[in-house]
Amino acid sequence: MEKTLQQKTRVQENKTVYQILFIIAACHLLNDSLQAVVPAMFPILERSMGLTFTQLGLIAFTINIISSVMQPLVGTFTDKYPLPYALPIGLTSSMFGMLGLALAPNFAWILISVVFIGFGSAVFHPEGSRVVYYAAGNKRGLAQSIFQVGGNSGQALAPVITALILVPLGQKGALWFTIIAGLAVIFLTYIAKWYRTQIQLTSERGASPRKNVQTKAVSKAIKAALILLIFIVFARSWYGAAIANFYAFYAMDSYQVTIAEAQIYIFVFLGMGALGTFIGGPLADRFGRKTVILLSLVAASPLTILLPFVGKSTAIILLGIIGLIVMTSFSVTVVYAQELVPDKIGTMSGLIVGLAFGMGALGSVALGTMIDMFGLTETMIFASLLPLLGLLSILLPSDKKVEEWYKRA
């Protein structure tokens, strides 16, 4: 009987549960579309409330820093004490945040509202990534790509949200997104029940944490690799923040387009970025994770440097290609970090994905301040150089070396 249970458990561990993967990816889309509403509202808030670029940067900083700081904390806690129903609770927080954002009368109220949205996102990402780990079976790279493309697709909806909802309806148009949050809560309640069952199965078969037998030298090398990975995520996140938060203003200023027309540029960048996120995992499986991480920034850098100097039609084409290339490393960096420290899935997911939000938050404040001080064009030229930091990827340990460490863990 015990042998039969072990065999059944082993089959379940290797089986990829696509139904759960697609549902959690859809919830990721809904969660990140809620978060995308905030920067999508920037042009509207700038005009209706007379906010400065620094204040807009502070709004982005608040929502992203709450999410980024709390993600690794949530991940560390739930690595020890999994909380399946934290998923719908987190999205309930986001729902209240959206309601507050739609009705906010001033700058301070907006900041409070985005704290609730940021908290919901902080809970969702590490716990969602753990659900993916349970559902992935022996296809972790593909599973992570499916999950992450949901989030990036949600971010890509920001320009569409702006053009179709926020421009005609204004700030109160955000009320519609409380419905989206409610829908996500329903889906995540179903996911939480499945997640709880997996935890119970793990407990019943008496699984224990893997013993770490790594040497001090290997531990130091892993820490150095994680620090290096942080710098790479830093470069990608700051460049993404420059485009997602401020390129609409650059397009309106340089090409004399309307708010709605400017959203096309952002949509192309983010939409192609979502595609890049999806294909990044399979590419990494074939050519190696380190190779994809390196090329995602280095190969895009000539195009990013050229972007501020081209016309409006060429800019759309370049933004699409840049988004496609840059975002191929998004899911790959998560899997790379998880394989570096396989006993801390939630922590690594919270660190890398949270770091992306956090670095984007710092970038939003810094870039917003630079725009106020030096101007849009000068700031965009500076941002175009950031992908060159991707050259640091050359120093990352090879996939073969990481695999050796993973087997020792």
Side-chain angles (χ1 to χ4, degrees):
M1 180 70 177
E2 183 179 352
K3 185 177 181 181
T4 302
L5 178 61
Q6 291 176 348
Q7 290 173 342
K8 182 178 179 182
T9 300
R10 194 172 296 112
V11 170
Q12 290 175 336
E13 286 179 340
N14 292 327
K15 182 180 179 181
T16 303
V17 188
Y18 287 102
Q19 179 184 357
I20 295 299
L21 287 177
F22 289 133
I23 293 175
I24 196 67
C27 291
H28 200 180
L29 184 151
L30 296 176
N31 177 84
D32 283 25
S33 67
L34 295 177
Q35 193 159 348
V37 170
V38 178
M41 290 183 69
F42 280 2
I44 293 168
L45 295 175
E46 188 263 342
R47 291 188 179 183
S48 63
M49 292 188 178
L51 301 183
T52 66
F53 283 105
T54 300
Q55 287 177 310
L56 295 176
L58 284 172
I59 294 172
F61 173 81
T62 300
I63 186 172
N64 289 326
I65 205 66
I66 291 294
S67 174
S68 65
V69 168
M70 291 195 65
Q71 275 195 50
L73 296 178
V74 171
T76 300
F77 182 83
T78 54
D79 276 334
K80 296 180 179 179
Y81 312 102
L83 300 172
Y85 284 94
L87 285 165
I89 291 172
L91 263 292
T92 300
S93 172
S94 296
M95 183 169 62
F96 283 114
M98 291 306 305
L99 180 63
L101 185 64
L103 304 177
N106 52 49
F107 176 67
W109 192 266
I110 291 174
L111 289 181
I112 294 172
S113 298
V114 300
V115 165
F116 281 89
I117 299 172
F119 174 77
S121 184
V123 172
F124 174 82
H125 284 98
E127 281 297 88
S129 188
R130 194 188 314 281
V131 169
V132 171
Y133 184 82
Y134 276 115
N138 56 6
K139 298 180 180 179
R140 288 196 308 272
L142 174 62
Q144 192 64 228
S145 286
I146 291 173
F147 177 62
Q148 296 298 346
V149 78
N152 285 10
S153 297
Q155 295 171 23
L157 290 175
V160 178
I161 290 168
T162 302
L164 299 182
I165 298 176
L166 299 179
V167 169
L169 299 180
Q171 183 179 342
K172 285 186 171 56
L175 282 170
W176 285 98
F177 296 94
T178 59
I179 299 174
I180 290 179
L183 185 63
V185 170
I186 294 172
F187 286 146
L188 288 173
T189 301
Y190 171 80
I191 288 288
K193 293 178 181 178
W194 180 87
Y195 179 16
R196 184 181 62 179
T197 301
Q198 303 310 303
I199 294 173
Q200 290 173 345
L201 287 174
T202 301
S203 177
E204 288 172 3
R205 67 176 181 261
S208 58
R210 296 162 68 178
K211 294 181 180 179
N212 194 319
V213 295
Q214 293 170 345
T215 64
K216 289 184 178 181
V218 171
S219 296
K220 288 182 179 180
I222 290 174
K223 290 178 182 178
L226 284 174
I227 292 172
L228 195 55
L229 202 62
I230 287 172
F231 277 105
I232 295 163
V233 173
F234 158 84
R236 187 186 66 208
S237 299
W238 271 50
Y239 185 76
I243 301 299
N245 292 329
F246 300 116
Y247 195 84
F249 296 104
Y250 177 81
M252 288 187 288
D253 182 67
S254 300
Y255 307 137
Q256 288 75 52
V257 297
T258 65
I259 292 178
E261 290 170 339
Q263 302 310 308
I264 296 174
Y265 294 85
I266 313 303
F267 175 73
V268 169
F269 175 78
L270 296 177
M272 293 299 288
L275 177 60
T277 299
F278 181 73
I279 67 176
L283 285 176
D285 289 339
R286 180 169 183 178
F287 300 107
R289 308 200 200 290
K290 178 179 176 178
T291 301
V292 171
I293 293 171
L294 172 64
L295 293 179
S296 70
L297 289 175
V298 174
S301 59
L303 302 180
T304 64
I305 293 171
L306 182 62
L307 182 62
F309 305 102
V310 300
K312 63 180 183 179
S313 298
T314 306
I316 293 177
I317 298 173
L318 286 184
L319 281 169
I321 299 173
I322 291 169
L324 178 69
I325 298 174
V326 166
M327 295 308 294
T328 54
S329 66
F330 193 90
S331 62
V332 179
T333 50
V334 176
V335 176
Y336 189 91
Q338 289 177 341
E339 292 184 347
L340 281 174
V341 191
D343 292 333
K344 298 181 179 179
I345 299 300
T347 303
M348 289 301 101
S349 174
L351 178 65
I352 299 301
V353 179
L355 186 67
F357 285 122
M359 290 300 181
L362 293 174
S364 297
V365 174
L367 293 167
T369 302
M370 287 182 65
I371 291 172
D372 285 334
M373 294 177 62
F374 305 110
L376 273 166
T377 301
E378 290 76 9
T379 302
M380 285 299 163
I381 292 174
F382 164 77
S384 72
L385 302 175
L386 290 171
L388 289 173
L389 290 175
L391 288 168
L392 291 172
S393 303
I394 295 173
L395 303 177
L396 284 173
S398 67
D399 289 26
K400 183 177 180 180
K401 179 63 67 175
V402 173
E403 185 178 353
E404 291 176 2
W405 293 342
Y406 180 83
K407 290 179 179 178
R408 293 183 190 179

